[in-house]
Amino acid sequence: MNVEDFIKNKGYVNCMVFHSQPGNGISTRLREINKNMTGKLPCLYYSARHISGSLLKPSERKIWADNLFSYNLIILDDIDYWYNKKKAATDFIHWLTVKIRHSEGKVILGCSNPKKDWTRSVNFSAGFNHFRIEISNPSYIDILTLLQNLCQYEYCIPEKLLHHIALYNGTFSQYINCLISVRFQSKLSGLNLFKMSENEWNEKFKIKSFFPQYQLRKAFLSEWEFKPSNPILS
């Protein structure tokens, strides 16, 4: 079930959880959902990072919840931020779980830290139907397309360099940070990227350091033949 169908569905399932490793764009996706739904129905995007510690106190919860659950669509991002093993936090999570189960509106949760994903706990999931969507590491084609779009007005970045970056396994933020760093350093040093080899790119810009796993996509390493798809960038 996609997000739009979930929101329109008036069935008994009222919660959807987006989860992934850090850096795969959960927050970006949730903000986009909020942007697309604004004007169509009362909705609210809220990050757990913006909620003060006082909300963990029972005396503060009702006021916050009355406002929050008055919306037809509630998007709670960074829910892993609430996770810790202190009693106040676990009590708050248990209370919030009950509120979500009994909410008349739709609730979308976002978690970017699997180790702190409390929606996987028995207390949350037992007897509670909800959808889970895992945002996995982006594919090679997705990343190459992203990098090409980011460089569509650039004339000094070879497409072969974009391909070289996209060959690493990583997250969206790692690819973007790598490209920004390469672009900034090359411009600052007056380097012509077209005259540099792959080894020189790696040595000068430390491309591997942006991808802690240091792992290339093996499927593209055997008998690869580079074929530029965008003449502007090649």
Side-chain angles (χ1 to χ4, degrees), residues 91-106:
D91 286 348
F92 176 74
I93 289 173
H94 175 73
W95 168 82
L96 183 61
T97 298
V98 173
K99 296 294 292 185
I100 291 173
R101 288 186 180 188
H102 293 91
S103 171
E104 295 182 1
K106 298 292 185 178

Side-chain angles (χ1 to χ4, degrees), residues 3-229:
V3 174
E4 204 166 304
D5 290 338
F6 163 74
I7 294 172
K8 292 178 180 178
N9 178 21
K10 296 182 179 180
Y12 60 94
V13 181
N14 72 333
C15 182
M16 176 177 280
V17 181
F18 282 80
H19 60 101
S20 78
Q21 297 288 337
N24 276 340
I26 291 281
S27 294
T28 301
R29 291 168 187 262
L30 296 189
R31 290 192 190 100
E32 190 66 23
I33 292 171
N34 180 61
K35 179 181 177 182
N36 291 338
M37 298 311 299
T38 298
K40 297 180 181 179
L41 79 169
C43 59
L44 175 70
Y45 171 88
Y46 216 107
S47 171
R49 297 176 183 274
H50 301 152
I51 299 174
S52 69
S54 64
L55 288 172
L56 297 176
K57 299 176 182 178
S59 59
E60 301 288 337
R61 294 175 187 172
K62 187 178 185 307
I63 297 174
W64 178 69
D66 286 347
N67 174 62
L68 187 71
F69 288 95
S70 66
Y71 290 86
N72 290 37
L73 174 62
I74 307 156
I75 303 173
L76 291 176
D77 195 9
D78 304 310
I79 62 168
D80 44 284
Y81 185 75
W82 284 323
Y83 177 88
N84 67 57
K85 298 189 177 182
K86 294 180 180 178
K87 188 177 186 303
T90 55
D91 286 348
F92 176 74
I93 289 173
H94 175 73
W95 168 82
L96 183 61
T97 298
V98 173
K99 296 294 292 185
I100 291 173
R101 288 186 180 188
H102 293 91
S103 171
E104 295 182 1
K106 298 292 185 178
V107 181
I108 297 177
L109 305 177
C111 180
S112 300
N113 188 337
K115 294 181 180 179
K116 296 184 177 182
D117 186 357
W118 46 266
T119 65
R120 293 182 180 275
S121 69
V122 174
N123 289 335
F124 182 87
S125 58
F128 177 42
N129 291 310
H130 62 284
F131 296 111
R132 299 187 66 84
I133 297 179
E134 181 177 5
I135 308 300
S136 58
N137 282 358
S139 69
Y140 162 78
I141 296 299
D142 289 339
I143 288 303
L144 186 57
T145 301
L146 169 68
L147 297 178
Q148 288 174 336
N149 288 338
L150 290 173
C151 295
Q152 61 181 316
Y153 299 113
E154 294 280 354
Y155 297 95
C156 54
I157 299 181
E159 187 172 347
K160 190 173 182 179
L161 173 59
L162 302 184
H163 171 93
H164 183 72
I165 294 173
L167 280 176
Y168 283 91
N169 281 317
T171 64
F172 281 109
S173 58
Q174 289 170 343
Y175 295 112
I176 294 172
N177 289 339
C178 179
L179 178 62
I180 291 173
S181 178
V182 170
R183 181 67 185 94
F184 176 78
Q185 290 186 60
S186 63
K187 188 173 183 180
L188 190 65
S189 304
L191 298 174
N192 185 337
L193 295 173
F194 289 90
K195 294 183 178 181
M196 298 176 69
S197 66
E198 290 187 14
N199 288 335
E200 289 173 327
W201 289 334
N202 283 325
E203 184 177 343
K204 174 64 181 177
F205 305 115
K206 304 293 188 293
I207 291 177
K208 287 183 179 180
S209 67
F210 289 90
F211 307 95
Q213 44 284 63
Y214 293 139
Q215 187 177 6
L216 289 167
R217 300 175 190 271
K218 295 179 181 178
F220 290 91
L221 293 180
S222 59
E223 299 181 6
W224 166 67
E225 180 183 357
F226 174 69
K227 296 180 180 179
S229 59

